[in-house]
Each structure stands twice: as structure tokens, then as C-alpha cells.
């Protein structure tokens, strides 16, 4: 597609509920990143894929967070048993590689109540 | 990890004014990017500037890698320039791939 598409745009979850956030990267982009942005802060790295391989997941805050990209294209970030501190905007970015051409999606704003 | 500090945290300008945003980083890097996050949350890459100076219309950026800082210049500001400006550097200074460290951003508000 023309850009990075994320869905849903907004998500309200009750505490303890599981959520799944979707990212459709730009076609052909091999690198895909997830970031978490709390209110008033800069984005913080969560995890990174190159094609279907998850090369770095060191930013995932707990084992409740899980990401996958099974066919090297669409990626899903899953959060189990959501807690209030998970409330944030979750940003996805893709890149053709070599650190160039980062393109971010508009994000999913998750609110846990 | 690498520390990225941005200043000022907030900037309020009248349309037509010029401004300079600063980004300091704690370690040598081989890549630095400036982003603009518009009021709708979209992060747009402005510059990829590991060193030297680049210009794009009313915006220009300079990175002095040896002194570990970068500057973003906005001339003749417009209301559409409002938003948050972030600089970001890669976590692995030996690579241009992988995770980025972002600063906390400069919130720019331009009034008509």
C-alpha cells in the first residue's frame, strides 16, 4: 500500500482484557518496528522484525506483550490481560532496510479502563 | 543506552518567526533522524542527517557528529508547522538498522 496502515485507530479495553493491534507495512519493506508512546513522551522501542524473523524484542515490557509477523508482511502486537499502564499510542513503522526510509503509521491509541 | 536530549521542551511562536531546535546525544552515532509528529499523531520523517547540513524548503538541519548535537531550523514558520519535533538515533552506533532512541521532543505551537 501507499503507507503504513494500523488498525484499529482507537481501542478501549477493560482491565484484564486481551487486545490485538494490527500493522500493514508498505509493500516490500523488510523491516518492521513497534513502538509505544506514552502521553507527552517520545516513542519507545518495543520490537523489530526483519521479514518474518523477530530480531529484537528487548523492548517488550513484560511477557504479556507478544508480536508476530508470520509471513513477513502484516504484523500483530498482542497484549494479554491489559493493565492501566498499557494505555498509550502504539506505533508501527516499516523500512526497506539499511536505516533509510522509516515510515510510521498513524498509531493505535489504546485506553485501558 | 544512548541518551537523547532535546531543547527547548516547548516553543510558542507567531507566524513568520524563525526558530532553532536542538538535539544532544550522549554517544557517537552514524545516523540521526528528525521527525515531525502532527496534531493527528502522524510521525513524518523530515531529515536523515548523520552529519553536515541539509535543506528542504523552509526547514534545514545540521548535525555536528564530533560534538554530538544536531540542530533543526524552521524559517518563516506557519501554523501547519505546529506539532512535536523529535530527533532519534540508532541504538547500535555500528549500524543504521534496528531500534531508534527518541528524545522527548519539542512541542511547537505557531499562532496566526
Amino acid at each position: 500500500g501507499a503507507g503504513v496502515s494500523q488498525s484499529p485507530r482507537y481501542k478501549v479495553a477493560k482491565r484484564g482484557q486481551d487486545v490485538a493491534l494490527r500493522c500493514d507495512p508498505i509493500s516490500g519493506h523488510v523491516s518492521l518496528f513497534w513502538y509505544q508512546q506514552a502521553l507527552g513522551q517520545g516513542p519507545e522501542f518495543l520490537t523489530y522484525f526483519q521479514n518474518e524473523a523477530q530480531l529484537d524484542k528487548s523492548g517488550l515490557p513484560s511477557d504479556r506483550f507478544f508480536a508476530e509477523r508470520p509471513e513477513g508482511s502484516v504484523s500483530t502486537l498482542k497484549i494479554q490481560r491489559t493493565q492501566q499502564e498499557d494505555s498509550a499510542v502504539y506505533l508501527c513503522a516499516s523500512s526497506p532496510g539499511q536505516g533509510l526510509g522509516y515510515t510510521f503509521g498513524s498509531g493505535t491509541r489504546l485506553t485501558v479502563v | 543506552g544512548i541518551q537523547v536530549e532535546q531543547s527547548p521542551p516547548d516553543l510558542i511562536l507567531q507566524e513568520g518567526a524563525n526558530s532553532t531546535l536542538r538535539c544532544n546525544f550522549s554517544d557517537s552515532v552514524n545516523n540521526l533522524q528528525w521527525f515531525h509528529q502532527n496534531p493527528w499523531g502522524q510521525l513524518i520523517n523530515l531529515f536523515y542527517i548523520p552529519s553536515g547540513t541539509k535543506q528542504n524548503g523552509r526547514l534545514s538541519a545540521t548535525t555536528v557528529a564530533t560534538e554530538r548535537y544536531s540542530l533543526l531550523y524552521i524559517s518563516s514558520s506557519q501554523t501547519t508547522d505546529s506539532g512535536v519535533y523529535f530527533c532519534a538515533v540508532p541504538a547500535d552506533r555500528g549500524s543504521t538498522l534496528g531500534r531508534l532512541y527518541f528524545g522527548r521532543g519539542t512541542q511547537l505551537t505557531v499562532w496566526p
Side-chain angles (χ1 to χ4, degrees):
Chain A
V4 177
S5 178
Q6 292 188 245
S7 60
R9 186 75 175 91
Y10 302 93
K11 176 68 179 179
V12 178
K14 291 185 178 179
R15 192 185 310 180
Q17 188 178 354
D18 297 349
V19 297
L21 313 180
R22 177 186 169 103
C23 174
D24 279 272
I26 291 175
S27 178
H29 277 195
V30 299
S31 300
L32 185 145
F33 306 83
W34 285 98
Y35 285 83
Q36 180 189 59
Q37 186 176 19
L39 189 64
Q41 305 290 320
E44 291 195 359
F45 172 83
L46 292 176
T47 187
Y48 160 52
F49 291 86
Q50 189 160 321
N51 295 306
E52 68 278 6
Q54 189 174 19
L55 299 187
D56 187 349
K57 57 180 181 179
S58 61
L60 296 176
S62 77
D63 58 8
R64 296 186 296 104
F65 287 70
F66 172 76
E68 59 183 4
R69 193 186 186 196
E71 297 178 359
S73 179
V74 172
S75 177
T76 304
L77 176 66
K78 298 179 179 178
I79 308 174
Q80 296 178 321
R81 305 181 303 281
T82 52
Q83 301 177 5
Q84 272 195 314
E85 60 262 32
D86 300 335
S87 296
V89 175
Y90 290 85
L91 295 165
C92 176
S94 70
S95 165
Q98 298 304 311
L100 300 177
Y102 260 83
T103 302
F104 278 84
S106 295
T108 294
R109 180 177 296 278
L110 173 66
T111 303
V112 181
V113 297
Chain B
I2 298 175
Q3 304 300 311
V4 181
E5 295 183 356
Q6 293 187 244
S7 60
D10 297 279
L11 190 56
I12 300 174
L13 301 174
Q14 192 149 24
E15 210 167 25
N18 302 328
S19 60
T20 301
L21 283 58
R22 186 177 180 101
C23 173
N24 293 332
F25 41 95
S26 62
D27 205 347
S28 58
V29 298
N30 60 0
N31 177 7
L32 183 140
Q33 300 187 51
W34 281 98
F35 292 88
H36 174 225
Q37 188 167 43
N38 64 27
W40 297 271
Q42 181 82 43
L43 266 170
I44 305 294
N45 180 278
L46 298 174
F47 292 103
Y48 167 84
I49 182 165
S51 64
T53 298
K54 289 187 177 179
Q55 180 149 9
N56 184 3
R58 294 181 298 102
L59 303 181
S60 65
T62 295
T63 296
V64 183
T66 53
E67 297 186 24
R68 301 180 187 172
Y69 74 90
S70 183
L71 302 173
L72 178 68
Y73 305 96
I74 305 174
S75 64
S76 304
S77 57
Q78 300 177 359
T79 56
T80 51
D81 295 332
S82 296
V84 185
Y85 290 81
F86 291 102
C87 68
V89 299
D92 179 1
R93 60 188 164 122
S95 171
T96 58
L97 303 174
R99 66 191 294 179
L100 295 178
Y101 284 118
F102 283 79
R104 294 187 64 171
T106 292
Q107 172 77 58
L108 175 65
T109 304
V110 181
W111 293 97

